[in-house]
């Protein structure tokens, strides 16, 4: 079977740092992506890791360890607008999404 | 540049009725996806097209769902007949080439079956 596991919910305060983990088990793997989705909105692409290591894009960073079938999304200097759901997605010759992590940022 | 356009945004139908959703992908994107998203869940792939060819429709319930992508551009997804359990958001996405690195999503069609 194919499965991606993420925490269902994370809470943090403005200015803090939060890490959202993702473990996966899929038949085939090319890379790990992260998407953000605000309530009622479309998922929007944040980052992609095809190789092990850390990718940094502004306040967001994403990490991948292929040997551990594990990745994470790191959000720094949290802002209220970062409150949303975050999905990891495995590229396994098709894009398979996790169940999502709802992030709530409090003032 | 226009993003992925879907219509309608909302649809309410009675069970056993047919319904169709339309998607116009980003110009030049030859890969098109239809996903289903239930509340509080991640998107689930229904079908993936590369140009006009359906390369992965293993998750499409073919007894009631059908899709087409004539001329490799616009696509329609149809449900006939709809069931109460089909109530969900139907998302269309497109990507450049055959890579799944970055998919661009439309706003989705929220279907309510009553």
């Amino acid at each position: 079977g194919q499965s991606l596991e993420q925490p269902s919910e994370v809470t943090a305060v403005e200015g803090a740092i939060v890490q959202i983990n993702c473990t996966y088990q899929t038949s085939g793997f090319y890379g790990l992506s992260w998407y953000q989705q605000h309530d009622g909105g479309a998922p929007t692409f944040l980052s992609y890791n095809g190789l092990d290591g850390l990718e940094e894009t502004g306040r967001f960073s994403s990490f991948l360890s292929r040997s551990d079938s594990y990745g994470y999304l790191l959000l720094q200097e949290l802002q209220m607008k970062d409150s949303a759901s975050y999905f990891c997605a495995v590229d396994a010759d098709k894009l398979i999404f996790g169940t999502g992590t709802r992030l709530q940022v409090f003032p | 540049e226009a993003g992925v356009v879907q219509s309608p945004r909302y649809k309410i139908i009675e069970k056993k009725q047919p319904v169709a959703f339309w998607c116009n992908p980003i110009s030049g994107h030859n890969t098109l996806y239809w996903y289903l998203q239930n509340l509080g869940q991640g998107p689930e792939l229904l079908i993936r097209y590369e140009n006009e060819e359906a390369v992965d429709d293993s998750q499409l319930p073919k007894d009631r769902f059908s899709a087409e992508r004539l001329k490799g551009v616009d696509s329609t997804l149809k449900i006939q007949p709809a069931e109460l359990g089909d109530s969900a958001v139907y998302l269309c996405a497109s990507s450049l080439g055959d890579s799944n690195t970055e998919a661009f999503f439309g706003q989705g069609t929220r279907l309510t079956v009553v």
Side-chain angles (χ1 to χ4, degrees):
Chain A
Q2 321 223 63
S3 67
L4 286 82
E5 293 190 11
Q6 310 177 228
S8 59
E9 189 167 354
V10 174
T11 59
V13 296
E14 275 187 301
I17 300 172
V18 72
Q19 178 173 314
I20 300 174
N21 299 319
C22 174
T23 57
Y24 58 87
Q25 183 175 6
T26 58
S27 53
F29 179 87
Y30 294 104
L32 185 71
S33 298
W34 288 92
Y35 286 78
Q36 178 192 62
Q37 186 178 30
H38 288 97
D39 286 348
T44 55
F45 173 83
L46 291 176
S47 67
Y48 176 82
N49 293 70
L51 301 173
D52 285 0
L54 191 68
E55 294 283 341
E56 298 180 73
T57 309
R59 296 187 296 114
F60 295 177
S61 302
S62 58
F63 173 83
L64 174 66
S65 169
R66 296 172 73 117
S67 60
D68 295 323
S69 298
Y70 164 77
Y72 66 72
L73 178 70
L74 189 73
L75 300 89
Q76 303 182 75
E77 301 172 22
L78 281 174
Q79 302 175 10
M80 296 293 290
K81 67 179 181 179
D82 297 330
S83 293
S85 292
Y86 292 84
F87 296 92
C88 60
V90 165
D91 176 4
D93 204 26
K94 59 185 171 184
L95 209 51
I96 304 169
F97 284 80
T99 53
T101 299
R102 188 171 184 85
L103 171 64
Q104 293 190 65
V105 181
F106 293 98
Chain B
E1 179 183 317
V4 176
V5 179
Q6 291 187 245
S7 69
R9 284 280 281 133
Y10 303 93
K11 189 74 177 179
I12 301 174
I13 61 170
E14 294 184 343
K15 62 182 180 181
K16 300 185 182 180
Q17 294 302 304
V19 65
F21 314 124
W22 175 80
C23 173
N24 179 236
I26 292 173
S27 177
H29 282 194
N30 59 315
T31 301
L32 183 146
Y33 318 77
W34 282 103
Y35 284 88
L36 175 157
Q37 186 174 28
N38 287 302
L39 189 64
Q41 300 294 314
E44 300 171 35
L45 181 67
L46 290 172
I47 189 168
R48 177 167 68 101
Y49 283 93
E50 288 182 15
N51 298 307
E52 61 273 11
E53 182 183 358
V55 295
D56 186 349
D57 64 356
S58 57
Q59 302 302 311
L60 189 72
K62 298 181 184 64
D63 57 335
R64 298 184 300 108
F65 286 64
S66 64
E68 61 181 10
R69 192 185 184 197
L70 301 177
K71 301 181 181 179
V73 182
D74 293 2
S75 177
T76 56
L77 178 69
K78 298 178 181 177
I79 309 175
Q80 182 171 12
E83 298 178 351
L84 295 176
D86 296 331
S87 295
V89 176
Y90 291 81
L91 294 164
C92 178
S94 68
S95 66
L96 194 60
D98 59 0
S99 166
N100 293 309
T101 305
E102 180 177 3
F104 295 81
F105 283 82
Q107 291 294 315
T109 297
R110 182 176 296 278
L111 173 68
T112 302
V113 183
V114 297

